[in-house]
Structures are given as C-alpha cells and as structure tokens.
Amino acid sequence: MDAELLLAALCTGFGLGCLLLAARGLLTAGRLWARGLRVMGVVTARTAADRRRGGLVAFSDHLGRDLVLDPGAYAPLCGLPPLGRTVPVVFVRERPTTARLWTVRHLLAPSFGWFLSSTVAFGTAVAVSP
C-alpha cells in the first residue's frame, strides 16, 4: 500500500473522529441550554496542596446538596471571574455532578477545539493525497 494513501486515510479518519466529537460537544451544549437548570455558584480558591491553576466553583443543586465544579486549568481563558465572584452554573436535573459553567466560552470551547483539530487533519489529508 502506498504510504501517502495510508497517511491520507489516517488523517481523514482522525478528522472524522474529531468532527464527531465536535458535534457531540455542540449537542451537549444545546441539551444544557434547552433542559438545564441554572443556578449561581461562587468562585472559591483551591486548597494549598492542589498545585493546579484556577479556582473552583461551589454551588447548590436543586435538592440543596453542596457541590463543587472544577472548570479545569483553562478556566480563566473560558471566562471564570476572580475569586469571590458569582458565576452561573448549568446542569441536567438527573446529573448535577456533570455541571458546566454557563458561559459561551466554557460551553463551546471544547467543540471549537475539536473542530480546529478536524480542520488541521483534513487539511493534512488533502496536502499529502496523491
């Protein structure tokens, strides 16, 4: 089998996988927009032993349970306000532990990243195709 054809097929398959993950992320964001419960959370600091960057978001679900959301290392890039401020949190009623921040950047950033990855993969497949 020709190496260029194999590389083009691998890049195309990887691009399709990334495109499917981007569509899944958009569907998740749409589902949260349509059926999600929105509550306000407070940005809190991490413990001193935790070496990761960014804050945590403490919020209460619809049953009154206190939960903590970890928006990840890139939380400041996704619109997390400074410590002590409030931020909207959205979750599905059946699964409050899978909550997400209710900001456009935080909801759509994973989909945008997967879409960019699929674009690069498809571009590579076109560039190396025989």
Side-chain angles (χ1 to χ4, degrees):
M1 180 177 256
D2 192 32
E4 291 176 351
L5 184 62
L6 178 64
L7 184 60
L10 286 174
C11 288
T12 302
F14 181 73
L16 284 174
C18 289
L19 200 58
L20 288 174
L21 288 172
R24 179 180 162 214
L26 284 176
L27 287 174
T28 301
R31 205 173 314 125
L32 284 173
W33 179 79
R35 294 187 298 138
L37 296 174
R38 293 170 194 83
V39 295
M40 294 304 287
V42 178
V43 180
T44 60
R46 292 183 184 271
T47 61
D50 194 355
R51 302 184 64 94
R52 293 177 288 176
R53 294 180 18 187
L56 299 172
V57 179
F59 68 99
S60 296
D61 67 352
H62 63 288
L63 298 176
R65 296 177 292 193
D66 292 328
L67 299 170
V68 177
L69 167 65
D70 186 1
Y74 300 108
L77 297 174
C78 292
L80 188 67
L83 296 177
R85 298 267 177 99
T86 60
V87 64
V89 176
V90 64
F91 59 91
V92 178
R93 182 180 298 270
E94 295 83 26
R95 293 181 288 148
T97 56
T98 60
R100 298 183 66 180
L101 293 180
W102 184 249
T103 61
V104 173
R105 285 186 284 180
H106 195 270
L107 286 174
L108 298 180
S111 296
F112 184 69
W114 286 117
F115 179 74
L116 282 179
S117 298
S118 70
T119 303
V120 169
F122 284 137
T124 304
V126 168
V128 299
S129 64

